[in-house]
Amino acid sequence: MRLDYTNMMAASLGECGLKEVNYSRNAFDKVISTLGTGWQEWANLISDGEIDEITQFCRPICEKAESVVVLGIGGSALGAIAVANALTHFRHNELPREKRNAPKFYVEDNVDPERMAALLDVVDVSNTYFIVATKSGETSETLSQFLIIYDALSSKLGDKAKEHIIAITTLGKGKLYEIAVSEGFKLFGIGKGVGGRFSVFSPIGLVPLACIGIDIKGLVSGAAKAAQISQNPDINANIALMMAALNVEAYKKGCNMSVMMPYADSLKFMSDFFAQLWGESLGKKQDLCGNTVHVGQTPVKALGVTDQHSQIQLYTEGPFDKVVTFLTVTNFRNYCVIPNDKRIDGLEFLKGHTLNELINAEQAATAFALKKAGRMNMTLCLDAVTAESVGELIMTLMYQTAFAGAMLNIDTYNQPGVEEGKKATFAIMGRIGYEQKLQEMTAQSGEYKIERE
Ligand code: PA5
């Protein structure tokens, strides 16, 4: 991976750029000295033995099942979505089984009733494995999906239904753990100090990915490589630290949005992964000293080249409030030549070139247009999209987030805003123990409603 941050700096952008990259060594030390402990348990990578155990369990599913469905949301879904999208065929579910060499794959990260009905229309539950993933074991969305699926499975398979459920949650804690033990589901554990958005290299991400034949060993070895690089105190040799410092410095200069814009469809969902990681980790009301600070850059998802024809106008000429990180790929897995069709005149500038050249030319052109307009941007380039490079990219983003949180002096690992919504949902749905929350909500309910027949 290479990072080009020329277009962040005053030498290139003039007064809109950064004169130098400042970062507090203290923030770096704070992250590094507590790695692997508390909520930084995500930095302890899974062992080879555990990877082998996951692979052995998932292999027969990968070889035989028609479909694998993940029931999970937020950090219990986005890692698997981002990696599967990067490393499977673009039309994975549409390929015939013999070409796919793996089950069809669905990640159900919403509770839209139409979506659930549609899923049940297309999967044969009797040949499908359902991975119920929830770190807390308490999330309403995931538990309601589980109840619907377990019911559908039981009416078709009777007692054998339980063989089709794989539960992944914190061991010894939470509702899903209780259910899994009492029903006898296959159970994988996730470390107590591994938060949802940092859980992709735990069974939460690795079990679903192994079930569809992804090289999870390669993924984790890429993550290990990024971890090693990210622990280097020399900022010029540490991409995660440099990107954290650049974003935080840009934020101080008024760039309160951080756009991630991959120029590769395979990396499209890295933006979704990043949006959750960055938004939930850094968007905080209080700093660690108890001051009210309301900090955090808003993550924005974009895709090159598609969004050149949608959002780039705003990025170029709208408010000076964004920093753009492009993700590029040097060697695509396919090579597509634009034919030199003699019947068509006037398109010589395209003919004989490749889409590979075109997409990277468009990225360079967009970076130039932004730079010319004085808009900060940087480019993180992957040689190719492989299990190793995807693992490296994701781990780099995780370290980047940890460093940025320390630089902002906030608690990177809590999410009180999310928890408040979860509790309010329990209250509305009538969960015992949440009566007071319901009273609080009723007392505060607004009167400003417009209803239409
Ligand atoms: O990152 C987080 O902690 C959250 O986004 C969670 O992943 C999300 O709320 C789902 O929680 P859980 O995995 O406990 O069901």
Side-chain angles (χ1 to χ4, degrees), residues 71 111 116 120 130 132 139-155 161 165 175-176 179 183 185 429:
L71 308 177
V111 284
M116 180 54 83
L120 292 171
F130 294 89
V132 190
T139 304
S140 304
E141 292 88 337
T142 308
L143 293 177
S144 57
Q145 288 173 328
F146 157 72
L147 288 170
I148 293 164
I149 292 298
Y150 198 34
D151 185 57
L153 276 168
S154 303
S155 41
I165 302 272
K175 198 72 208 159
L176 181 63
I179 299 169
E183 294 298 296
F185 298 151
M429 297 300 283

Short mmCIF file of all heavy atoms in Angstrom, two decimals, residues 71 111 116 120 130 132 139-155 161 165 175-176 179 183 185 429:
data_model
loop_
_atom_site.label_atom_id
_atom_site.label_comp_id
_atom_site.label_asym_id
_atom_site.label_seq_id
_atom_site.Cartn_x
_atom_site.Cartn_y
_atom_site.Cartn_z
N LEU A 71 -27.16 -12.85 9.85
CA LEU A 71 -28.13 -12.00 10.52
C LEU A 71 -27.33 -11.16 11.51
O LEU A 71 -26.80 -11.69 12.50
CB LEU A 71 -29.19 -12.83 11.25
CG LEU A 71 -29.88 -13.92 10.43
CD1 LEU A 71 -30.85 -14.72 11.30
CD2 LEU A 71 -30.63 -13.31 9.24
N VAL A 111 -34.11 -4.54 9.21
CA VAL A 111 -35.33 -5.27 9.58
C VAL A 111 -36.51 -4.81 8.74
O VAL A 111 -37.64 -4.78 9.20
CB VAL A 111 -35.65 -5.14 11.09
CG1 VAL A 111 -34.73 -6.01 11.92
CG2 VAL A 111 -35.58 -3.68 11.57
N MET A 116 -37.03 -9.05 4.38
CA MET A 116 -37.06 -10.38 5.00
C MET A 116 -37.93 -11.33 4.16
O MET A 116 -37.56 -12.48 3.92
CB MET A 116 -37.59 -10.26 6.44
CG MET A 116 -37.68 -11.56 7.19
SD MET A 116 -36.14 -12.53 7.23
CE MET A 116 -35.27 -11.77 8.59
N LEU A 120 -36.78 -14.86 2.21
CA LEU A 120 -37.43 -16.17 2.37
C LEU A 120 -38.00 -16.67 1.04
O LEU A 120 -38.21 -17.87 0.86
CB LEU A 120 -38.50 -16.10 3.46
CG LEU A 120 -37.91 -15.90 4.87
CD1 LEU A 120 -39.00 -15.62 5.90
CD2 LEU A 120 -37.07 -17.10 5.30
N PHE A 130 -27.52 -20.17 8.74
CA PHE A 130 -27.77 -18.80 9.21
C PHE A 130 -26.79 -18.48 10.32
O PHE A 130 -26.74 -19.19 11.34
CB PHE A 130 -29.22 -18.67 9.70
CG PHE A 130 -30.23 -18.82 8.59
CD1 PHE A 130 -30.72 -20.09 8.25
CD2 PHE A 130 -30.64 -17.72 7.85
CE1 PHE A 130 -31.63 -20.24 7.20
CE2 PHE A 130 -31.54 -17.87 6.80
CZ PHE A 130 -32.03 -19.14 6.47
N VAL A 132 -25.90 -16.06 13.13
CA VAL A 132 -26.49 -15.00 13.95
C VAL A 132 -25.33 -14.33 14.70
O VAL A 132 -24.71 -14.94 15.57
CB VAL A 132 -27.52 -15.56 14.95
CG1 VAL A 132 -28.29 -14.41 15.61
CG2 VAL A 132 -28.47 -16.52 14.27
N THR A 139 -29.12 -7.25 20.56
CA THR A 139 -29.63 -6.27 19.60
C THR A 139 -30.98 -6.70 19.01
O THR A 139 -31.12 -7.81 18.49
CB THR A 139 -28.56 -6.05 18.50
OG1 THR A 139 -27.36 -5.66 19.17
CG2 THR A 139 -28.95 -4.99 17.51
N SER A 140 -31.96 -5.80 19.10
CA SER A 140 -33.34 -6.13 18.70
C SER A 140 -33.42 -6.62 17.26
O SER A 140 -34.13 -7.59 16.96
CB SER A 140 -34.24 -4.89 18.80
OG SER A 140 -34.20 -4.35 20.06
N GLU A 141 -32.71 -5.92 16.37
CA GLU A 141 -32.79 -6.26 14.95
C GLU A 141 -32.36 -7.72 14.73
O GLU A 141 -33.07 -8.50 14.08
CB GLU A 141 -31.87 -5.35 14.12
CG GLU A 141 -32.29 -3.88 14.07
CD GLU A 141 -31.73 -3.05 15.23
OE1 GLU A 141 -31.39 -3.62 16.29
OE2 GLU A 141 -31.63 -1.83 15.06
N THR A 142 -31.22 -8.06 15.29
CA THR A 142 -30.66 -9.40 15.05
C THR A 142 -31.50 -10.47 15.73
O THR A 142 -31.74 -11.54 15.15
CB THR A 142 -29.20 -9.41 15.57
OG1 THR A 142 -28.53 -8.29 14.99
CG2 THR A 142 -28.48 -10.68 15.20
N LEU A 143 -31.96 -10.18 16.94
CA LEU A 143 -32.73 -11.20 17.66
C LEU A 143 -34.10 -11.40 17.00
O LEU A 143 -34.61 -12.54 16.95
CB LEU A 143 -32.88 -10.81 19.13
CG LEU A 143 -31.55 -10.83 19.91
CD1 LEU A 143 -31.75 -10.38 21.35
CD2 LEU A 143 -30.89 -12.22 19.90
N SER A 144 -34.69 -10.35 16.46
CA SER A 144 -35.98 -10.55 15.80
C SER A 144 -35.79 -11.33 14.50
O SER A 144 -36.58 -12.24 14.19
CB SER A 144 -36.70 -9.22 15.56
OG SER A 144 -35.88 -8.37 14.81
N GLN A 145 -34.72 -11.03 13.77
CA GLN A 145 -34.43 -11.82 12.56
C GLN A 145 -34.24 -13.29 12.92
O GLN A 145 -34.74 -14.20 12.25
CB GLN A 145 -33.15 -11.32 11.89
CG GLN A 145 -33.28 -9.98 11.22
CD GLN A 145 -31.91 -9.50 10.74
OE1 GLN A 145 -30.89 -9.79 11.36
NE2 GLN A 145 -31.89 -8.79 9.65
N PHE A 146 -33.49 -13.50 14.01
CA PHE A 146 -33.24 -14.89 14.45
C PHE A 146 -34.56 -15.61 14.73
O PHE A 146 -34.76 -16.75 14.29
CB PHE A 146 -32.35 -14.88 15.71
CG PHE A 146 -32.50 -16.12 16.54
CD1 PHE A 146 -31.98 -17.33 16.10
CD2 PHE A 146 -33.22 -16.10 17.73
CE1 PHE A 146 -32.16 -18.50 16.84
CE2 PHE A 146 -33.41 -17.25 18.47
CZ PHE A 146 -32.88 -18.46 18.03
N LEU A 147 -35.48 -14.93 15.44
CA LEU A 147 -36.75 -15.60 15.79
C LEU A 147 -37.53 -15.98 14.52
O LEU A 147 -38.10 -17.07 14.44
CB LEU A 147 -37.60 -14.68 16.68
CG LEU A 147 -37.08 -14.51 18.12
CD1 LEU A 147 -37.84 -13.41 18.85
CD2 LEU A 147 -37.17 -15.83 18.90
N ILE A 148 -37.52 -15.08 13.54
CA ILE A 148 -38.25 -15.36 12.29
C ILE A 148 -37.63 -16.56 11.57
O ILE A 148 -38.30 -17.48 11.13
CB ILE A 148 -38.25 -14.11 11.38
CG1 ILE A 148 -39.06 -12.99 12.03
CG2 ILE A 148 -38.77 -14.42 9.99
CD1 ILE A 148 -38.83 -11.61 11.46
N ILE A 149 -36.32 -16.54 11.49
CA ILE A 149 -35.61 -17.61 10.75
C ILE A 149 -35.72 -18.94 11.49
O ILE A 149 -35.95 -19.99 10.87
CB ILE A 149 -34.13 -17.21 10.54
CG1 ILE A 149 -34.03 -16.02 9.58
CG2 ILE A 149 -33.29 -18.39 10.07
CD1 ILE A 149 -34.56 -16.26 8.18
N TYR A 150 -35.59 -18.91 12.81
CA TYR A 150 -35.64 -20.17 13.57
C TYR A 150 -37.03 -20.81 13.43
O TYR A 150 -37.17 -22.03 13.32
CB TYR A 150 -35.30 -19.90 15.03
CG TYR A 150 -34.90 -21.15 15.81
CD1 TYR A 150 -34.20 -22.19 15.19
CD2 TYR A 150 -35.22 -21.28 17.16
CE1 TYR A 150 -33.83 -23.32 15.91
CE2 TYR A 150 -34.84 -22.41 17.88
CZ TYR A 150 -34.16 -23.43 17.24
OH TYR A 150 -33.79 -24.56 17.94
N ASP A 151 -38.03 -19.94 13.38
CA ASP A 151 -39.40 -20.42 13.19
C ASP A 151 -39.53 -21.06 11.80
O ASP A 151 -40.08 -22.15 11.66
CB ASP A 151 -40.34 -19.21 13.34
CG ASP A 151 -41.79 -19.61 13.28
OD1 ASP A 151 -42.19 -20.46 14.10
OD2 ASP A 151 -42.51 -19.10 12.39
N ALA A 152 -39.03 -20.36 10.79
CA ALA A 152 -39.13 -20.89 9.41
C ALA A 152 -38.37 -22.21 9.30
O ALA A 152 -38.84 -23.18 8.68
CB ALA A 152 -38.57 -19.88 8.42
N LEU A 153 -37.18 -22.25 9.91
CA LEU A 153 -36.38 -23.48 9.87
C LEU A 153 -37.10 -24.62 10.60
O LEU A 153 -37.16 -25.75 10.09
CB LEU A 153 -35.04 -23.25 10.57
CG LEU A 153 -33.91 -22.62 9.78
CD1 LEU A 153 -32.78 -22.21 10.72
CD2 LEU A 153 -33.37 -23.57 8.71
N SER A 154 -37.66 -24.31 11.78
CA SER A 154 -38.29 -25.36 12.59
C SER A 154 -39.51 -25.92 11.89
O SER A 154 -39.77 -27.13 11.94
CB SER A 154 -38.68 -24.82 13.96
OG SER A 154 -37.55 -24.30 14.59
N SER A 155 -40.29 -25.06 11.21
CA SER A 155 -41.48 -25.63 10.56
C SER A 155 -41.08 -26.50 9.38
O SER A 155 -41.81 -27.40 9.01
CB SER A 155 -42.51 -24.56 10.18
OG SER A 155 -41.90 -23.45 9.69
N ALA A 161 -33.59 -28.10 12.86
CA ALA A 161 -33.42 -26.66 12.60
C ALA A 161 -32.17 -26.12 13.28
O ALA A 161 -31.44 -25.29 12.73
CB ALA A 161 -34.65 -25.90 13.09
N ILE A 165 -28.17 -23.20 12.52
CA ILE A 165 -27.88 -21.90 13.14
C ILE A 165 -26.47 -21.91 13.72
O ILE A 165 -26.09 -22.84 14.44
CB ILE A 165 -28.87 -21.61 14.30
CG1 ILE A 165 -30.32 -21.62 13.82
CG2 ILE A 165 -28.50 -20.30 15.00
CD1 ILE A 165 -30.87 -20.33 13.30
N LYS A 175 -28.30 -12.34 25.68
CA LYS A 175 -29.43 -13.21 25.34
C LYS A 175 -29.05 -14.27 24.31
O LYS A 175 -29.45 -15.43 24.44
CB LYS A 175 -30.56 -12.32 24.80
CG LYS A 175 -31.90 -12.95 24.80
CD LYS A 175 -32.46 -13.08 26.21
CE LYS A 175 -33.41 -14.25 26.29
NZ LYS A 175 -33.59 -14.74 27.66
N LEU A 176 -28.30 -13.88 23.30
CA LEU A 176 -27.97 -14.88 22.27
C LEU A 176 -27.14 -16.01 22.87
O LEU A 176 -27.33 -17.18 22.51
CB LEU A 176 -27.24 -14.24 21.08
CG LEU A 176 -26.91 -15.26 19.97
CD1 LEU A 176 -28.18 -15.85 19.35
CD2 LEU A 176 -26.05 -14.65 18.88
N ILE A 179 -29.50 -18.34 24.64
CA ILE A 179 -30.31 -19.11 23.69
C ILE A 179 -29.45 -20.20 23.05
O ILE A 179 -29.87 -21.36 22.93
CB ILE A 179 -30.90 -18.20 22.59
CG1 ILE A 179 -31.81 -17.13 23.19
CG2 ILE A 179 -31.66 -19.00 21.54
CD1 ILE A 179 -32.22 -16.03 22.21
N GLU A 183 -30.39 -24.03 23.32
CA GLU A 183 -30.87 -24.72 22.12
C GLU A 183 -29.80 -25.64 21.52
O GLU A 183 -30.09 -26.43 20.63
CB GLU A 183 -31.27 -23.70 21.04
CG GLU A 183 -32.47 -22.84 21.40
CD GLU A 183 -33.74 -23.65 21.61
OE1 GLU A 183 -34.21 -24.26 20.64
OE2 GLU A 183 -34.25 -23.67 22.75
N PHE A 185 -26.95 -24.61 19.80
CA PHE A 185 -26.41 -24.15 18.51
C PHE A 185 -24.89 -24.22 18.54
O PHE A 185 -24.26 -24.10 19.60
CB PHE A 185 -26.78 -22.67 18.26
CG PHE A 185 -28.25 -22.39 18.16
CD1 PHE A 185 -28.74 -21.14 18.53
CD2 PHE A 185 -29.13 -23.33 17.69
CE1 PHE A 185 -30.09 -20.85 18.44
CE2 PHE A 185 -30.49 -23.06 17.59
CZ PHE A 185 -30.96 -21.82 17.98
N MET A 429 -40.84 -1.26 22.31
CA MET A 429 -41.31 -2.63 22.02
C MET A 429 -41.80 -3.35 23.28
O MET A 429 -42.22 -4.49 23.23
CB MET A 429 -40.19 -3.45 21.37
CG MET A 429 -39.73 -2.92 20.03
SD MET A 429 -41.02 -2.86 18.76
CE MET A 429 -41.14 -4.58 18.28
#
